[in-house]
Amino acid sequence: MTEQTTPVGQTEPAEQTTGPEQTAPVERIEPEAEPQTESRAAEPQVVAPQAVEPPAGPEAAVPPPPPMPEAPPTVFAAAEVTAVGEPQEPPVKVKKDRRVLRAVLRWTAATVVFAAVGSAAAYGITGMERDDVPGLATKADGRWDYPTITKPPLPSGSPGPFASSNKAGAHYADLRKLLLSAPKGAKADAALRGDDGWLARKTFLAQYAEPQARETLGDLLTGYAVRHIAARGWTTTDGTHTRIYLLQFDTAAVAEELASGQLVNYDSPQYALRGAAQTERDERFPERAAVDEVTRYAYTESKPYGAEQVRQAYVSAGDTIALVVQSRKGLAQAVPFQQTVVLQSQLLG
């Protein structure tokens, strides 16, 4: 091997090494002498050359070595490259998408199932009776099973009792058909049927305790010109005896004056019924049960009741006064009494 010498005034360019120091000069290799074989796996990251100021003195005349030829870029199929020559494993997007898809499908299916179950539950609850729904069951409050309330038809061209054109407040329907029907299972009281449905005056007056009261009331009925008296009564299986009396007068003004001025007081009725010597205002009768255009006066027997307790109510509706009486051995229940009074008021209203 022939040793080459460096002409005077020229120096070999320093070659970068990976070692800590550079101790000996490196032989100059022409670019055409030995082609380089490149391996992308072993090639270091290409760094842009930095401008270096030429050294002062005679060394500045030495030309820089020719640039290294760039190797063609390597193509990686379906790979992402973060640095030159450094491929990254292709992302498994398909598997990820499938996992997401499966999760979405599972949640969608669950939502559909929950919605179906909720709809079925809602349908089941709305289709059930209140007593069948857990947590909403209501214990029986003692009310009676009355038939559907239906007002009788009016004669052709006749107004209702509270129509603006009906100045007298008259009930043009048959008074006997305005009586409340007996509840299911009750036994009718034959003594109140009367003659063709019309009750005799003395039968009505017989329910008052004092003879003087019966005489005075008889005079009042004559003076206020009562037209008709209709009545109905029954006894239910629990022993409660119910009587309803309807008294019809010429006008609403006459009936209202008799009721409020002669038959009732605020805290007690004016005339005591049989078996109810001490009576007081029924404070527990619900006000929300009031019926429009109908005035109600409700009373209950005070303690001690004696053999039975008596409840009573006077109802003034147009030209008609109703008296509802319920009595029962021991204690007359409040709920059936209130129910009976309200239903009779609705028939007259």
Side-chain angles (χ1 to χ4, degrees):
M1 183 179 199
T2 306
E3 184 178 353
Q4 296 182 355
T5 59
T6 302
V8 179
Q10 295 184 355
T11 59
E12 293 290 338
E15 187 172 296
Q16 296 180 355
T17 62
T18 58
E21 296 181 355
Q22 183 176 356
T23 57
V26 182
E27 295 179 353
R28 179 181 179 86
I29 301 175
E30 297 297 333
E32 295 83 0
E34 186 177 351
Q36 296 182 358
T37 59
E38 297 175 356
S39 175
R40 300 299 290 184
E43 181 179 348
Q45 183 176 358
V46 177
V47 180
Q50 300 179 353
V52 181
E53 296 181 359
E59 294 181 354
V62 179
M68 301 286 293
E70 295 184 359
T74 305
V75 179
F76 295 92
E80 294 181 1
V81 180
T82 56
V84 178
E86 294 182 6
Q88 184 179 355
E89 290 294 330
V92 189
K93 293 184 179 180
V94 176
K95 293 184 179 180
K96 183 177 179 181
D97 292 344
R98 289 178 179 175
R99 287 196 300 269
V100 173
L101 179 59
R102 285 196 296 269
V104 171
L105 291 176
R106 284 197 299 268
W107 281 108
T108 303
T111 303
V112 172
V113 172
F114 291 155
V117 173
S119 300
Y123 176 80
I125 289 177
T126 55
M128 297 169 66
E129 296 295 335
R130 180 177 176 84
D131 291 348
D132 297 333
V133 181
L136 295 180
T138 302
K139 294 182 179 179
D141 56 5
R143 67 185 60 193
W144 291 342
D145 185 9
Y146 277 102
T148 302
I149 302 300
T150 304
K151 292 184 178 182
L154 293 170
S156 178
S158 300
F162 303 108
S164 59
S165 59
N166 190 349
K167 303 301 182 181
H171 286 84
Y172 290 103
D174 191 330
L175 188 67
R176 293 166 294 184
K177 294 183 180 181
L178 289 173
L179 284 165
L180 180 65
S181 299
K184 182 179 180 181
K187 183 179 180 181
D189 187 349
L192 297 181
R193 290 177 181 173
D195 183 9
D196 196 22
W198 300 115
L199 189 69
R201 185 181 303 188
K202 64 178 182 179
T203 305
F204 169 73
L205 295 174
Q207 65 182 319
Y208 289 93
E210 301 295 331
Q212 183 62 40
R214 293 194 291 269
E215 183 179 349
T216 301
L217 280 171
D219 292 340
L220 288 173
L221 294 181
T222 300
Y224 281 89
V226 63
R227 296 175 55 195
H228 302 291
I229 300 177
R232 178 170 291 158
W234 62 81
T235 302
T236 53
T237 55
D238 66 348
T240 301
H241 186 201
T242 302
R243 289 91 72 194
I244 300 177
Y245 305 90
L246 299 184
L247 290 77
Q248 190 173 36
F249 299 86
D250 287 336
T251 64
V254 172
E256 178 61 29
E257 181 180 344
L258 175 62
S260 61
Q262 301 294 333
L263 300 180
V264 302
N265 296 314
Y266 176 79
D267 55 352
S268 65
Q270 185 69 36
Y271 304 98
L273 299 178
R274 292 181 180 273
Q278 299 295 327
T279 307
E280 62 186 11
R281 180 179 175 86
D282 189 355
E283 299 290 349
R284 296 188 176 182
F285 204 107
E287 293 298 329
R288 65 180 182 275
V291 178
D292 292 342
E293 308 294 342
V294 176
T295 305
R296 179 188 66 233
Y297 309 90
Y299 307 97
T300 183
E301 185 181 2
S302 307
K303 293 180 180 180
Y305 304 136
E308 61 181 11
Q309 185 189 26
V310 179
R311 295 179 182 270
Q312 58 186 293
Y314 286 91
V315 175
S316 178
D319 65 348
T320 303
I321 297 174
L323 173 62
V324 180
V325 183
Q326 280 189 358
S327 58
R328 181 175 180 265
K329 184 178 180 180
L331 181 66
Q333 300 297 323
V335 171
F337 173 68
Q338 296 168 3
Q339 181 188 18
T340 303
V341 173
V342 170
L343 292 178
Q344 182 60 69
S345 299
Q346 290 176 345
L347 275 172
L348 293 175

